[in-house]
Amino acid sequence: VGSSPVLTCPSKSNITMVTWKISPKAGGPCSMGYRTDQNKTHRTNCSESMNWKSRPDQDPALEIQQVAIAHEGKYSCEIVTAEGNFHRTHHLTVLAPPRLTVYCDADGSPVCEAAAGKPAARVSWDLDSKSSPKEEGHDNGTVTVLSKFAACGTNVTHITCIVSHPAGNQRKSIAC
């Protein structure tokens, strides 16, 4: 989330036409095209965040500015040259790092929350805990994971929550 990925087409010279067909998981399809004989670009239903990396006659790569979860989907490029048609398909998956919060609940027990991550984060503690994390899915495909530290007969004054995620790992400590 937030980066600006560049999706490439097959590298060919003497391009006649370039077409990007985009099928996002959410929302309707869109397309972008360029014809060299008319030196014209055309776009249908594509958001302004999607554009040519540079000039399509020099580089037909597609850049997505500030990528969001809604951009996930299938991106297909077709290049037409005198030698034939050439295709490349990208399947874009967007990772969203969770927001980590650690707090003490009303009983004085440490609670760790990894909010709105995609995919769901793995939450653990630096000390043995009998807790089993609870997951809550959201409409946008993100997941919040909540873990309450539970250890029988242990007097813990300082504990660290450990969050493992493909977009980056995090640690946060608390004393309850």
Side-chain angles (χ1 to χ4, degrees):
V1 170
S3 67
S4 297
V6 175
L7 307 178
T8 59
C9 288
S11 180
K12 299 292 174 189
S13 58
N14 299 322
I15 295 172
T16 304
M17 189 168 67
V18 179
T19 306
W20 278 99
K21 293 179 182 171
I22 300 148
S23 302
K25 286 184 182 175
C30 83
S31 63
M32 291 175 51
Y34 172 74
R35 286 184 53 167
T36 54
D37 63 339
Q38 297 177 359
N39 193 25
K40 282 190 178 176
T41 59
H42 178 74
R43 61 191 304 132
T44 306
N45 299 328
C46 291
S47 72
E48 291 301 315
S49 62
M50 291 183 221
N51 222 325
W52 303 102
K53 170 72 175 151
S54 61
R55 290 182 35 196
D57 59 331
Q58 294 176 353
D59 181 5
L62 177 72
E63 183 174 25
I64 306 168
Q65 293 288 327
Q66 298 291 305
V67 76
I69 291 170
H71 289 115
E72 280 194 329
K74 180 178 165 185
Y75 291 71
S76 300
C77 176
E78 180 179 5
I79 300 280
V80 178
T81 71
E83 292 81 41
N85 295 12
F86 303 90
H87 298 86
R88 178 170 295 154
T89 300
H90 300 272
H91 296 277
L92 181 67
T93 301
V94 179
L95 300 177
R99 291 183 311 276
L100 176 57
T101 308
V102 180
Y103 59 93
C104 302
D105 70 5
D107 300 328
S109 297
V111 177
C112 183
E113 181 181 75
K118 185 175 178 307
R122 276 194 352 248
V123 176
S124 60
W125 299 93
D126 64 343
L127 299 173
D128 285 337
S129 173
K130 307 256 186 275
S131 69
S132 52
K134 292 176 179 42
E135 294 186 4
E136 178 189 353
H138 305 292
D139 291 343
N140 66 357
T142 62
V143 178
T144 295
V145 180
L146 193 70
S147 177
K148 180 177 177 177
F149 182 79
C152 297
T154 306
N155 189 6
V156 176
T157 57
H158 191 100
I159 185 100
T160 300
C161 171
I162 303 161
V163 173
S164 302
H165 192 270
N169 300 330
Q170 303 175 58
R171 302 170 74 91
K172 199 172 234 182
S173 300
I174 194 165
C176 291

